């Protein structure tokens, strides 16, 4: 996770220091003409400020003469030049400090992204705000626009990572609430709420960035400031969750309570198995009764739910085996993975059930020939459907879809949750479309990794990685590779603490 940076826009601070430098140097310059070339009561000045050869006047003699002829009075002009020099030096130092601070604050990309110099360190300074200007370190020039592009990429990665962390934290918080009650988990619910507020503000800034034109170089300084704040807010949200992770583990103590947690997960699994079968029948009936567009938002949900149930079956069995072997630590890892699968199965099934109710409430049948989707696609429904899709496919969904969903929520809140086909609904449908495109690309490239579970012939892993239940490299960096363990309550620094240890 990118380190937290100051929310004060660096370019504002630099402008202020530049202004101070100009004022101080101007004041010094105006005062300098008043410095006399020679004191009226002092020794004669030597032309050029040098002791002329053969004149018989030496520096020592000048000093002695000056002391002997000084009448003990002090003149303001005596101090003008040294004071001006000192002020100028201080102002230059202040400017250098501000400039270096700005470079440090805006350096949010890894050194490897900027290139490496002879000493192995990154060659980039901070992301510049000029129009094609370059900065150089270790003799290597770095284009300012390239640094801005790198910061833009890092901000997107940060948004996706924090959004994933919040979704996983909310998910495990739900199981902890069932186990311990609302009052016991209140501090952690508040931490999640504060993190969500920071993330919402960061997504709003990201939306503003997406709306900026790319053709106007003058916008680079605005873009720099917005990107800095996006990264800062993501870091704040991340830190809030990380700060509570240890206390959450002590409260839930999943290793100690693994038997009870496993029993609860098995009970939910059995219930959802029946609901998934019922949802399958409902979806078949809806497809026969309505146009394809009416069921499009949930068309893949039953298959997704079945895939999560396969993974839940695998992990629940492994958890039970670990408990039988008195290995509660391993059991806790498998229980946590099973909880993630159970939670996503419930979300997918509930989305199908909700869609069926909406279509029934619309009172429109296939023979009417009406646009059923338009009749029921109010903003609240569109936002809920997009949220379920992104949450259950978050291992593949990128920043743009999440940004549009967050913006849709904002518009929905401003409208008071009223049903409408305005910006909230349109943004939510755009979010789901973008998310579906991301998932399609993800599945085409086969970024599901390889694992011990798959090699043992047990299934469901691909859906677990796609859903972000099992954390893989693709879920946060877009890289291909293997899998880790299940996600837990916490931010980027703690959510991977229940590592796979070769189990997945």
């Amino acid at each position: 996770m990118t380190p937290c940076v100051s929310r004060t826009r660096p370019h504002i601070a630099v402008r202020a220091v530049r202004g101070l430098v100009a004022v101080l140097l101007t004041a010094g310059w105006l005062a300098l003409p008043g410095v006399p070339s020679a004191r009226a009561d002092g020794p004669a000045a030597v032309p050029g400020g040098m002791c002329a050869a053969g004149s018989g006047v030496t520096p020592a003699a000048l000093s002695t003469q000056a002391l002997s002829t000084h009448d003990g009075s002090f003149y303001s002009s005596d101090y003008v030049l040294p004071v001006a020099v000192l002020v100028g030096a201080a102002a230059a130092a202040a400017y250098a400090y501000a400039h270096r601070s700005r470079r440090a604050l805006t350096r949010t990309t890894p050194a490897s992204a900027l290139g490496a110099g002879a000493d192995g360190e990154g060659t980039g300074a901070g992301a510049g705000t000029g129009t094609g200007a370059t900065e150089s370190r270790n003799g290597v020039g770095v284009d300012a626009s390239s640094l801005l592009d790198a910061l833009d990429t890092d901000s997107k990665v940060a948004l996706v990572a924090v959004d994933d962390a919040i979704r996983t934290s909310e998910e495990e918080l739900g199981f902890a609430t069932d186990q311990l009650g609302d009052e016991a988990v209140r501090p952690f619910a508040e931490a999640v709420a504060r993190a969500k507020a920071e993330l919402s503000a960061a997504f709003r800034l990201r939306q503003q960035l997406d709306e900026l034109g790319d053709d106007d170089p003058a916008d680079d300084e605005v873009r720099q400031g917005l990107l800095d704040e996006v990264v800062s807010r993501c870091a704040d949200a991340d830190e809030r969750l990380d700060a509570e992770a240890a206390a959450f583990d002590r409260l839930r103590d999943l290793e100690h309570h693994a038997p009870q947690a496993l029993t609860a997960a098995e009970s939910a699994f059995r219930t959802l198995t029946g609901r998934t079968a019922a949802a399958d029948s409902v979806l078949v009936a809806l497809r026969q009764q309505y146009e394809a567009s009416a069921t499009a938002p949930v068309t893949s949900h039953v298959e997704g739910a079945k895939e999560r149930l396969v993974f839940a079956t695998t992990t629940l069995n492994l958890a039970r085996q670990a408990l039988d072997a008195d290995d509660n630590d391993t059991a806790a890892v498998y229980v946590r993975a099973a909880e993630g699968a159970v939670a996503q199965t419930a979300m997918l099934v509930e989305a199908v059930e909700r869609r069926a109710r909406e279509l029934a409430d619309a009172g429109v049948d296939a023979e009417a020939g009406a646009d059923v989707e338009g009749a029921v696609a109010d903003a609240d429904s569109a936002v809920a459907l997009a949220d379920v899709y992104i949450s259950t496919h978050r291992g593949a969904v990128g920043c743009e879809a999440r940004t549009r969903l967050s913006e849709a929520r904002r518009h929905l809140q401003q409208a008071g949750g009223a049903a409408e086909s305005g910006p909230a609904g349109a943004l939510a449908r755009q979010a789901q479309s973008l998310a579906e495109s991301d998932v399609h690309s993800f599945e085409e490239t086969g970024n599901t990794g390889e694992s011990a579970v798959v090699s043992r012939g047990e299934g469901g892993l691909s859906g677990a990685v796609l859903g972000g239940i099992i954390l893989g490299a693709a879920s946060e960096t877009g890289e291909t590779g293997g899998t880790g363990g299940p996600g837990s309550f916490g931010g980027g620094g703690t959510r991977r603490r229940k590592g796979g240890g070769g189990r997945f």
Side-chain angles (χ1 to χ4, degrees):
M1 175 56 59
T2 307
C4 180
V5 297
S6 168
R7 288 194 189 162
T8 303
R9 295 181 182 176
H11 60 273
I12 297 176
V14 171
R15 282 180 174 177
V17 172
R18 287 174 177 169
L20 177 61
V21 170
V23 171
L24 292 175
L25 293 181
T26 300
W29 174 256
L30 290 175
L32 285 175
V35 180
S37 59
R39 284 281 305 275
D41 56 347
V46 178
M50 302 290 292
C51 296
S55 65
V57 181
T58 65
L62 282 173
S63 178
T64 302
Q65 184 178 7
L67 289 172
S68 64
T69 58
H70 200 290
D71 61 2
S73 301
F74 292 89
Y75 296 84
S76 61
S77 60
D78 290 341
Y79 298 96
V80 171
L81 183 57
V83 168
V85 171
L86 289 174
V87 167
Y95 173 77
Y97 173 80
H99 185 61
R100 292 184 65 181
S101 297
R102 178 190 180 201
R103 291 174 62 175
L105 288 171
T106 57
R107 173 75 176 274
T108 58
T109 55
S112 60
L114 305 176
D119 59 358
E121 296 180 357
T123 60
T129 57
T131 58
T134 61
E135 294 190 28
S136 177
R137 182 178 177 185
N138 298 328
V140 180
V142 180
D143 186 80
S145 63
S146 298
L147 292 174
L148 198 60
D149 288 344
L151 179 57
D152 181 75
T153 298
D154 280 356
S155 73
K156 293 177 180 178
V157 171
L159 284 165
V160 170
V162 175
D163 190 42
D164 281 353
I166 289 174
R167 290 175 185 274
T168 302
S169 296
E170 283 187 306
E171 174 190 287
E172 188 173 10
L173 187 63
F175 287 99
T177 302
D178 292 342
Q179 173 189 350
L180 303 164
D182 292 333
E183 191 59 34
V185 302
R186 188 179 304 279
F188 309 105
E190 292 173 352
V192 170
R194 290 193 294 269
K196 288 178 73 174
E198 290 286 355
L199 181 63
S200 295
F203 271 129
R204 176 61 184 141
L205 294 169
R206 181 69 246 179
Q207 178 71 22
Q208 293 176 24
L209 280 161
D210 291 345
E211 293 170 356
L212 282 177
D214 294 330
D215 299 331
D216 186 1
D219 286 339
D220 282 356
E221 193 166 356
V222 175
R223 188 174 287 106
Q224 170 79 54
L226 292 173
L227 288 169
D228 285 339
E229 190 165 356
V230 167
V231 172
S232 175
R233 287 187 178 275
C234 285
D236 285 351
D238 216 37
E239 289 167 3
R240 288 183 185 277
L241 297 176
D242 281 336
E244 300 294 339
F248 183 86
D249 282 349
R250 288 193 297 271
L251 176 69
R252 195 176 186 206
D253 196 4
L254 187 56
E255 288 73 16
H256 180 73
H257 294 107
Q260 296 91 327
L262 176 58
T263 298
E266 287 173 334
S267 176
F269 168 81
R270 287 190 291 271
T271 300
L272 284 167
T273 299
R275 288 178 62 189
T276 300
D280 194 5
S281 299
V282 167
L283 189 57
V284 169
L286 292 176
R287 286 170 175 161
Q288 293 174 347
Q289 187 176 2
Y290 300 107
E291 296 292 333
S293 59
T295 58
V298 297
T299 190
S300 63
H301 282 20
V302 170
E303 290 305 313
K306 290 178 179 178
E307 194 169 22
R308 304 308 188 274
L309 287 176
V310 170
F311 184 72
T313 300
T314 300
T315 50
L316 288 171
N317 288 337
L318 291 171
R320 180 62 66 186
Q321 293 171 19
L323 283 179
D324 291 343
D326 294 326
D327 187 355
N328 282 33
D329 289 348
T330 297
V333 174
Y334 285 128
V335 167
R336 181 69 204 98
E339 287 178 342
V342 166
Q344 290 199 8
T345 301
M347 294 178 70
L348 291 165
V349 169
E350 287 167 2
V352 174
E353 295 169 345
R354 172 174 178 156
R355 192 60 170 172
R357 291 194 301 269
E358 290 171 344
L359 291 170
D361 292 343
V364 181
D365 58 25
E367 287 76 18
D371 183 359
V372 179
E373 183 183 19
V376 298
D378 59 273
D380 184 66
S381 174
V383 168
L385 288 167
D387 186 59
V388 168
Y389 188 88
I390 289 175
S391 191
T392 56
H393 297 77
R394 59 181 179 263
V397 177
C399 180
E400 188 176 3
R402 299 172 194 243
T403 301
R404 300 299 176 269
L405 175 60
S406 182
E407 186 70 359
R409 284 202 198 100
R410 188 179 72 84
H411 282 286
L412 185 62
Q413 290 171 352
Q414 289 180 343
E420 60 178 25
S421 58
L427 284 164
R429 286 186 287 275
Q430 183 186 11
Q432 178 148 352
S433 176
L434 290 166
E436 289 170 353
S437 178
D438 288 341
V439 170
H440 180 68
S441 298
F442 180 85
E443 291 176 335
E444 276 193 336
T445 57
N447 291 339
T448 56
E450 188 61 36
S451 73
V453 171
V454 173
S455 65
R456 288 197 296 269
E458 295 160 339
L461 181 74
S462 59
V465 173
L466 180 62
I469 298 167
I470 297 300
L471 304 180
S475 65
E476 292 187 6
T477 66
E479 300 172 357
T480 60
T483 57
S488 300
F489 181 101
T494 58
R495 64 190 299 251
R496 295 175 180 269
R497 60 190 178 277
K498 288 184 173 58
R503 301 181 183 96
F504 296 96

